[in-house]
Amino acid sequence: MDASTLLERQVDVLVTRTPLPIPAEDLQVTVLYSEARVLLVPASHRLAGKDAVTADDIAAEPLVGCTGMGVEWTTFWRLEPRSDSAPAPVGPTLAETYEDKLEAITDGTAIAVVPAGDRRYTLRPGLVTVALDGIEPCQIVVAARAADTNPLVTEFVRSAKDLLVGPITNVPAPPVR
């Protein structure tokens, strides 16, 4: 679902990641939790299997370019500005869809920075993630129109704050029997 549906009044709320791909000035944005960003690469990539990498480790790697996204969104996911102020290199494919992005990564022509909780890449064999050190996380938020007085919107935001609390970590595995 395109985030513009909120501004076009086709939906009343969105649960989405930051940065928002739409202007936020007329929105009420409630942060639910933070989520790490990771590097998505083919399993054959030189960085696959590493415990973690930094932005400097991938400075020369071509990233998948995405069409139709705003500057704030694009720079956040391309880890810009870089330490040398150069723009991130762009691979030969401009992705219009998430499937296009996965195709470019699978082909080995580019890599991507993605949210750690986005597991759609698992539908493609041969893709792996690598932790990114020193990279600020994205946030999972509920966005609603600021002037909306619908009590269902208020209740949705309250419920989201109570129920959408992020991934459970450090939970011991159940005993093997």
Side-chain angles (χ1 to χ4, degrees), residues 61-174:
E61 295 283 340
L63 294 170
V64 176
C66 296
T67 62
M69 303 310 290
V71 171
E72 184 180 358
W73 187 93
T74 301
T75 58
F76 182 81
W77 291 104
R78 295 174 54 71
L79 307 180
E80 294 174 340
R82 299 288 175 106
S83 59
D84 62 359
S85 299
V90 178
T93 302
L94 282 178
E96 291 186 29
T97 67
Y98 194 82
E99 185 59 35
D100 293 342
K101 179 187 279 191
L102 294 181
E103 186 69 30
I105 298 166
T106 301
D107 289 347
T109 59
I111 61 175
V113 175
V114 298
D118 187 340
R119 306 310 253 176
R120 293 177 289 177
Y121 77 88
T122 62
L123 298 173
R124 282 293 187 106
L127 295 181
V128 297
T129 60
V130 180
L132 280 166
D133 279 346
I135 304 299
E136 73 175 289
C138 60
Q139 294 180 316
I140 306 302
V141 301
V142 176
R145 290 180 297 279
D148 199 327
T149 59
N150 183 335
L152 293 176
V153 169
T154 303
E155 182 60 23
F156 183 92
V157 172
R158 187 198 62 73
S159 294
K161 286 168 55 176
D162 291 344
L163 300 172
L164 300 178
V165 294
I168 299 172
T169 58
N170 300 326
V171 176

Side-chain angles (χ1 to χ4, degrees), residues 4-120:
S4 65
T5 57
L6 180 62
L7 299 177
E8 295 165 359
R9 301 180 101 47
Q10 295 174 12
V11 299
D12 293 321
V13 295
L14 288 174
V15 177
T16 189
R17 290 180 176 93
T18 59
L20 298 176
I22 56 176
E25 56 266 1
D26 294 328
L27 300 178
Q28 171 193 332
V29 178
T30 304
V31 176
L32 301 176
Y33 60 92
S34 293
E35 178 180 40
R37 293 184 282 166
V38 295
L39 186 65
L40 182 60
V41 298
S44 60
H45 193 276
R46 68 180 181 84
L47 297 174
K50 298 265 187 194
D51 288 336
V53 296
T54 66
D56 288 341
D57 293 330
I58 64 168
E61 295 283 340
L63 294 170
V64 176
C66 296
T67 62
M69 303 310 290
V71 171
E72 184 180 358
W73 187 93
T74 301
T75 58
F76 182 81
W77 291 104
R78 295 174 54 71
L79 307 180
E80 294 174 340
R82 299 288 175 106
S83 59
D84 62 359
S85 299
V90 178
T93 302
L94 282 178
E96 291 186 29
T97 67
Y98 194 82
E99 185 59 35
D100 293 342
K101 179 187 279 191
L102 294 181
E103 186 69 30
I105 298 166
T106 301
D107 289 347
T109 59
I111 61 175
V113 175
V114 298
D118 187 340
R119 306 310 253 176
R120 293 177 289 177

